Amino acid sequence: MSQFIETEKKGSGFELCGRMIREGDSLVVFIDEVGRFEIPGNVLTVTLAGLGDGEFSWGRVRLSESGRGLYLDIGGLWYATPIARVRTVMEGRNRKGPVSRVR
């Protein structure tokens, strides 16, 4: 007789909850049931280059330690989006990109 081993698969540490678009030179982030947040292009460029964080009245934006993600601190909750998608949205190759809540 064979035995079965039951294991639980751990879920992702991210939950899709919003989207981002380009509006002029700015990146605009929409978080479902939270609001709309704008990151000016010059602040985004400095952050993506790893030269510092962006501070706003609504929170903060920073580069992930690996350099592959952009984190947003909005109202004490953390949200993330892949840098590759930020770049394609800002270059106009994609119209929008995903934003996820960090669990």
Side-chain angles (χ1 to χ4, degrees), residues 54-69:
E55 299 283 336
F56 302 97
S57 61
W58 49 262
R60 182 170 72 124
V61 61
R62 71 173 180 86
L63 194 61
S64 70
E65 290 183 20
S66 68
R68 298 186 319 185

Side-chain angles (χ1 to χ4, degrees), residues 37-70:
F37 307 93
E38 187 171 335
I39 305 168
N42 58 345
V43 175
L44 187 62
T45 301
V46 168
T47 304
L48 293 180
L51 301 174
D53 299 346
E55 299 283 336
F56 302 97
S57 61
W58 49 262
R60 182 170 72 124
V61 61
R62 71 173 180 86
L63 194 61
S64 70
E65 290 183 20
S66 68
R68 298 186 319 185
L70 187 69

